Amino acid sequence: MDKASAELKEPFWQEFKKDLADNVEPAIVGFGVAFGNVIKGMAGVIDAFLPKMDGIARRSDSITERFAKWGTSLKTSFPLVVWLVVLGMTSLAERLVPDELWELFRRVVPETVVKRPQGGGRRRAGDRECLAAIVFVATSGCTWRQVPPLFGPAWPTVYRRFARWSKDRVWARLHRVVLDELGVQGELDWSRFAIDSVSVRALKGGF
């Protein structure tokens, strides 16, 4: 112990203790002042924005809401579908006419017997591609002439297929099988429906 005490009395340790006494307190005070200045600056920034926080919050809500709608609409976005087709990541017909819908459609569409002269004629446009083009026209609001060539069949072919299927009441039968399928899956809410004289003949004198 005496040896350790003697070591601490050497000039180095005496000078070290003097430096601590002279510099630690000012350093602590200096850091404290600096930290206080940072906190004061942050409080000033918050105080400056507080009166405008309501407007900023509303603006942020509007921006993030538009972003959310954009993000959730990508799955059905036609420009994205086109890009995926161009990149070879998906088929346009499969995108607009999923396998589940295609299987239901095949139940109701009449079988077409193609008769061609021997050794000639173009290959008949696929029903799925035509149906995808019809879905595009129905959902996008474009005209028949505006059907993009990415679908494969030309617009007159798409229109003729639509007209023939309409004449054969394919859409009414498809609607029925879709409802039947949803009913089997328990996805129909029968608490909301309406009956009118167009679909059900009204009795004399009412009900």
Side-chain angles (χ1 to χ4, degrees):
M1 188 68 178
D2 291 338
K3 185 177 180 179
S5 299
E7 290 280 348
L8 291 175
K9 291 179 181 179
E10 290 185 357
F12 170 79
W13 291 111
Q14 295 298 321
E15 186 69 23
F16 180 71
K17 286 191 290 183
K18 184 177 181 302
D19 288 342
L20 282 178
D22 293 343
N23 296 302
V24 168
E25 183 177 354
I28 293 175
V29 173
F31 279 121
V33 172
F35 184 71
N37 287 336
V38 171
I39 297 299
K40 186 176 181 180
M42 293 173 62
V45 171
I46 294 173
D47 186 58
F49 277 96
L50 277 176
K52 302 177 177 61
M53 287 304 294
D54 187 48
I56 293 173
R58 286 198 301 269
R59 180 66 174 167
S60 298
D61 289 346
S62 174
I63 293 173
T64 53
E65 182 181 5
R66 290 201 299 270
F67 176 75
K69 289 181 178 178
W70 172 80
T72 54
S73 69
L74 278 179
K75 187 175 182 180
T76 55
S77 168
F78 185 72
L80 177 64
V81 170
V82 171
W83 272 110
L84 293 175
V85 172
V86 171
L87 295 174
M89 297 174 64
T90 187
S91 160
L92 192 55
E94 292 175 0
R95 189 76 181 182
L96 293 179
V97 183
D99 291 340
E100 296 82 359
L101 176 59
W102 176 236
E103 288 302 320
L104 296 178
F105 183 79
R106 291 176 63 186
R107 294 186 200 173
V108 298
V109 65
E111 184 177 356
T112 302
V113 178
V114 180
K115 297 181 180 179
R116 299 191 182 282
Q118 185 176 359
R122 288 184 177 182
R123 183 178 67 86
R124 180 177 180 273
D127 284 345
R128 189 167 187 171
E129 288 73 18
C130 288
L131 179 59
I134 292 169
V135 170
F136 175 73
V137 171
T139 55
S140 69
C142 76
T143 65
W144 294 108
R145 293 178 181 273
Q146 292 173 325
V147 172
L150 282 171
F151 286 98
W155 75 264
T157 301
V158 175
Y159 175 74
R160 285 194 298 270
R161 203 72 59 89
F162 169 78
R164 184 164 72 249
W165 289 340
S166 297
K167 182 180 179 181
D168 293 336
R169 295 186 55 79
V170 168
W171 312 120
R173 294 201 296 270
L174 179 62
H175 183 223
R176 182 58 183 267
V177 297
V178 168
L179 290 179
D180 290 343
E181 189 68 23
L182 291 174
V184 170
Q185 297 175 10
E187 297 184 15
L188 288 182
D189 182 5
W190 290 107
S191 66
R192 296 175 177 270
F193 68 93
I195 298 177
D196 59 33
S197 59
V198 174
S199 55
V200 178
R201 184 174 62 86
L203 300 176
K204 291 184 178 180
F207 292 99

